Each structure stands twice: as structure tokens, then as C-alpha cells.
């Protein structure tokens, strides 16, 4: 996919405030610091489009970036970031859950997972919530550059096996690095395919 334009459009507190032009959109979700904003910058080939930080909790709102004037990438706040003690640690907070469940133009959500870690309860719980609420999602492993190929394979295999114990089949899996740009083209090709389906079916069918 050719990345012609990528512009920040707006930050919203609630899904009701999000853009109303019915363009298809793709959200990035995952724990604080997993690399959501960095991945958006990598995909758009713009270093500072989405704000990144080594301090967790950088992204606080629902941020829409318009790509090629035809679809949106959406940067979301991290899940499980305990700024306000225990309550905020509940992964499925109302801002994010309402957005994921009710946003009509949300075509797919990319669940980001740190490739260095074994399956974490908070991530598994979050993905199970998405399954239960019929939120379509794919898994995106991040920071692949921090592992040797053999370690990476071991970790991904462990993840797949853990998930196949609870699910019958796996969603689409992408392996990425914002440092080396690995996996970026695959992800954009996947989005392009979904954009075509969205255009053919005139929406996600969600009301
Ligand atoms: P919140 O907005 O706080 O939820 O975090 P986020 O998920 O948006 O993470 P962000 O993109 O801000 O990245 C967090 C840190 O991880 C930054 O210091 C990034 O430079 C680093 N980082 C992100 N992706 C990669 C990657 O693929 N490889 C390496 N080596 N570092 C990465
Ligand atoms: Mg962020």
C-alpha cells in the first residue's frame, strides 16, 4: 500500500465524539508501553505522528489518524495502566469497551502483544472479552527486534499453544518491529484487503 498522506484528525474522550464520515477504521490496543503509537508511526512512515514515550500511559484518548484520505488508524490508551490505583487496572474500562463494541465503522482491532513475554493474564482476559463481545481482532507481536530468531519462535509457539488450549482457532497473527519495520507491509496489505471488503459491503454491518 502506498502511504500518500497521514494526518492527525482528532482526539476523542468517547466513541460518540469520533469522526462521523463513515470511513473504515482500524484500532490499536494493548498494554501501556507495548508499542501501539510506535507501530502507527512505523506504518505511516512518520516518526512523530503518534506521540510515543518510554513512560507508560502516554496515550490517553481515542486518536484518529486519516490515511490516504480514505481510512483511519486509531491509537488507543494502554490497557491496564494503573494510574488511578486498582480501579483503572480493570482492563475492560468503559471508554475502550464502548468504543470497541459500539463504534460502527471499526473494521478490525489489532491486539498488540510484547513478543518477549509469555502469555499474560491481562492480555488473555482482554482478548477473551473481545471474543465474547464479537469484536473482530488480530494479534500483533511487537518489539521482535529485541529477540533472537530462535527465542522469537519459541515465544510465539508458546503463545499459540496457550491460546489453542482455550480457543478452537487463532486469529490472524502478525510479527512486527517498529525499529526494523518488520511486518509493516503485511499489516498494511491486510488492511487494504479489509478496506475492499468494507467498500463492497458498505460497512461492518454493525448498528
Ligand atoms: P501508551 O501510549 O503508554 O499506552 O504506550 P504505547 O503502547 O503507545 O507505546 P509506545 O509506542 O509509546 O512505545 C513505548 C516504548 O517502547 C518506547 O520507548 C518505544 O521506543 C519502544 N518501542 C516501541 N516499539 C518498539 C519496537 O518495535 N522495538 C523496540 N526496540 N522498541 C520499541
Ligand atoms: Mg501510545
Amino acid at each position: 500500500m502506498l502511504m500518500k498522506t497521514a494526518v492527525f484528525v482528532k482526539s476523542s474522550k468517547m466513541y460518540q465524539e469520533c469522526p462521523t464520515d463513515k470511513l473504515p477504521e482500524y484500532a490499536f490496543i494493548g498494554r501501556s508501553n507495548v508499542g501501539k503509537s510506535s507501530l502507527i508511526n512505523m506504518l505511516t512512515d512518520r516518526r512523530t505522528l503518534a506521540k510515543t514515550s518510554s513512560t507508560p500511559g502516554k496515550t490517553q484518548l481515542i486518536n484518529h489518524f486519516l490515511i490516504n484520505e480514505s481510512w483511519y488508524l486509531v491509537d488507543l490508551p494502554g490497557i491496564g495502566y494503573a494510574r488511578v490505583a486498582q480501579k483503572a487496572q480493570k482492563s475492560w474500562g468503559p471508554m475502550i469497551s464502548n468504543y470497541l463494541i459500539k463504534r460502527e465503522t471499526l473494521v478490525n482491532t489489532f491486539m498488540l502483544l510484547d513478543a518477549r513475554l509469555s502469555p499474560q493474564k491481562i492480555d488473555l482476559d482482554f482478548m477473551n472479552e473481545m471474543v465474547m463481545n464479537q469484536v473482530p481482532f488480530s494479534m500483533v507481536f511487537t518489539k521482535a527486534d529485541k529477540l533472537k530468531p530462535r527465542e522469537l519462535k519459541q515465544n510465539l509457539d508458546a503463545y499459540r499453544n496457550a491460546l489453542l488450549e482455550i480457543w478452537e482457532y487463532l486469529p490472524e497473527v502478525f510479527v512486527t518491529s517498529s525499529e526494523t519495520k518488520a511486518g509493516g507491509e503485511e499489516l498494511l496489505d491486510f488492511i487494504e484487503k479489509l478496506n475492499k471488503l468494507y467498500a463492497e459491503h458498505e460497512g461492518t454491518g454493525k448498528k
Side-chain angles (χ1 to χ4, degrees):
M1 182 193 295
L2 213 60
M3 193 51 66
K4 282 175 276 184
T5 55
V7 286
F8 169 72
V9 174
K10 74 181 291 194
S11 297
S12 314
K13 252 203 205 99
M14 301 183 282
Y15 79 95
Q16 293 98 324
E17 295 170 6
C18 294
T20 54
D21 48 19
K22 304 277 183 205
L23 296 176
E25 68 189 42
Y26 302 86
F28 288 67
I29 190 86
R31 264 173 313 125
S32 254
N33 226 40
V34 71
K36 300 177 290 296
S37 303
S38 303
L39 188 61
I40 286 180
N41 291 339
M42 185 268 262
L43 292 174
T44 55
D45 209 14
R46 281 148 181 87
R47 280 187 168 275
T48 53
L49 186 63
K51 293 198 183 82
T52 65
S53 164
S54 53
T55 317
K58 182 70 191 172
T59 310
Q60 296 277 341
L61 298 163
I62 304 167
N63 297 295
H64 277 75
F65 300 93
L66 181 61
I67 312 299
N68 293 347
E69 297 180 13
S70 57
W71 56 280
Y72 290 107
L73 278 176
V74 181
D75 194 12
L76 294 173
I79 57 173
Y81 174 57
R83 170 170 273 194
V84 204
Q86 284 295 318
K87 254 195 183 159
Q89 267 197 18
K90 262 194 79 188
S91 65
W92 199 244
M95 177 209 224
I96 291 174
S97 64
N98 277 327
Y99 167 79
L100 291 177
I101 294 170
K102 295 179 181 164
R103 178 72 172 156
E104 278 180 40
T105 51
L106 177 61
V107 179
N108 192 51
T109 297
F110 292 99
M111 175 76 192
L112 272 58
L113 303 156
D114 191 324
R116 295 171 297 179
L117 304 180
S118 57
Q120 307 285 300
K121 186 174 184 307
I122 183 170
D123 293 327
L124 296 175
D125 287 350
F126 198 89
M127 289 191 282
N128 278 323
E129 286 284 349
M130 287 200 279
V131 170
M132 271 171 332
N133 287 287
Q134 297 178 307
V135 177
F137 70 96
S138 314
M139 299 198 301
V140 177
F141 289 95
T142 62
K143 310 195 184 185
D145 58 283
K146 293 206 174 192
L147 291 168
K148 296 197 178 81
R150 203 169 57 91
E151 294 169 328
L152 180 65
K153 187 180 178 310
Q154 271 171 2
N155 278 9
L156 298 186
D157 285 347
Y159 225 106
R160 285 197 183 96
N161 292 337
L163 290 176
L164 286 171
E165 277 178 26
I166 49 175
W167 298 341
E168 273 176 52
Y169 57 92
L170 294 181
E172 200 94 15
V173 175
F174 298 92
V175 182
T176 67
S177 161
S178 300
E179 290 284 313
T180 67
K181 298 188 179 262
E185 245 170 72
E186 288 86 344
L187 235 156
L188 288 173
D189 285 349
F190 182 66
I191 290 176
E192 196 165 30
K193 228 167 41 186
L194 294 179
N195 276 340
K196 286 200 181 113
L197 286 174
Y198 183 90
E200 280 164 22
H201 298 282
E202 290 171 10
T204 57
K206 225 187 308 180
K207 275 276 150 15

